[in-house]
Amino acid sequence: MANHSQFGFQDASSPIMEELVEFHDHALMVALAICSLVLYLLTLMLMEKLSSNTVDAQEVELIWTILPAIVLIMLALPSLQILYMMDEIDEPDLTLKAIGHQWYWTYEYTDFKDLSFDSYMVPTTDLSLGHFRLLEVDHRIIIPMESPIRIIVTADDVLHSWAVPSLGVKTDAIPGRLNQTSFITTRPGIFYGQCSEICGANHSFMPIVIESAPLTYFESWSSLLSS
């Protein structure tokens, strides 16, 4: 999770988030190159005397017309690739349904006969040692790591948004509509998120906690909870 002095992204825990971080770095390098070139040209124009060759040069005009198009292509192609990857949902090993309420989440494991629960934020006075204020919940989502997970997101009352930054997932929860996305956790761990849509007075108190665990642990947990 993020810390107070962090300026960058959280550590990527899914292939999609790794691609997003790489694209962010790629776009920053392109922006740095553009800024450096513009600064160099401004300095050159201030320090040197303009000549007629510089004022009227069709070769230069051709370059500064074609070069921005090449830069846009360099940004557009990887961006479109990531967009298609985020929309691609192969055969998932597990389907999870998240329903947003004011102000808590309900989760249903649709592959199991009777496995669902409500997830509320733990009040500050009830926090255990080592838990994070405003981020801990009474019932975590348990998923098997390195398995394709499909999540279906909807809402029961107003607009919500189910977002977990370290997994690169953010999906709007709209009443009367089902949105879906997918992710794969690449390592075991606990990943935190929050509702990212202003949904009322207690919008800040709708945390999301995902615990990625080995398959054996998930099987024993699911059989215990559904029995």
Side-chain angles (χ1 to χ4, degrees):
M1 63 173 295
N3 55 59
H4 295 290
S5 60
Q6 182 173 339
F7 288 97
F9 292 105
Q10 298 182 25
D11 292 338
S13 302
S14 69
I16 290 295
M17 190 57 191
E18 292 175 0
E19 293 288 338
L20 290 173
V21 172
E22 289 183 5
F23 176 71
H24 170 267
D25 297 340
H26 168 70
L28 274 185
M29 291 300 102
V30 173
L32 179 62
I34 294 173
C35 293
S36 301
L37 178 61
V38 171
L39 182 62
Y40 170 74
L41 293 177
L42 286 175
T43 306
L44 192 64
M45 292 178 67
L46 292 174
M47 300 297 293
E48 299 290 337
K49 184 177 179 180
L50 294 177
S51 63
S52 58
N53 293 332
T54 307
V55 174
D56 186 16
Q58 294 185 358
E59 293 82 3
V60 176
E61 294 179 0
L62 184 63
I63 291 175
W64 73 43
T65 302
I66 296 178
L67 193 59
I70 297 176
V71 171
L72 289 177
I73 293 174
M74 290 174 59
L75 293 174
L77 291 181
S79 175
L80 290 174
Q81 180 184 12
I82 295 175
L83 283 175
Y84 279 105
M85 289 175 60
M86 294 176 70
D87 281 340
E88 187 70 23
I89 299 179
D90 294 327
E91 298 179 1
D93 293 342
L94 180 68
T95 298
L96 180 67
K97 184 177 181 181
I99 305 172
H101 307 274
Q102 289 183 311
W103 287 272
Y104 63 97
W105 295 97
T106 297
Y107 298 105
E108 300 176 0
Y109 289 76
T110 58
D111 298 301
F112 296 84
K113 184 177 180 181
D114 187 18
L115 182 53
S116 63
F117 52 84
D118 296 331
S119 181
Y120 290 86
M121 186 194 74
V122 177
T124 304
T125 54
D126 298 336
L127 282 175
S128 302
L129 184 64
H131 287 177
F132 297 103
R133 176 178 171 269
L134 301 182
L135 287 177
E136 194 56 57
V137 296
D138 55 355
H139 292 95
R140 294 175 174 176
I141 307 170
I142 310 295
I143 59 171
M145 68 175 186
E146 297 180 342
S147 298
I149 308 296
R150 175 176 60 184
I151 178 162
I152 301 173
V153 183
T154 187
D156 186 51
D157 35 42
V158 298
L159 291 176
H160 299 279
S161 184
W162 198 87
V164 182
S166 59
L167 299 179
V169 177
K170 185 178 185 295
T171 304
D172 288 338
I174 304 172
R177 178 172 178 172
L178 297 177
N179 292 330
Q180 67 175 358
T181 187
S182 64
F183 60 87
I184 300 174
T185 56
T186 55
R187 58 186 174 90
I190 300 175
F191 313 114
Y192 294 90
Q194 289 178 304
C195 175
S196 297
E197 187 76 42
I198 297 178
C199 55
N202 293 332
H203 157 69
S204 301
F205 309 116
M206 290 184 63
I208 301 164
V209 182
I210 297 179
E211 183 174 346
S212 175
L215 181 59
T216 53
Y217 177 84
F218 172 77
E219 290 176 342
S220 60
W221 171 83
S222 58
S223 59
L224 180 64
L225 202 63
S226 59
S227 58

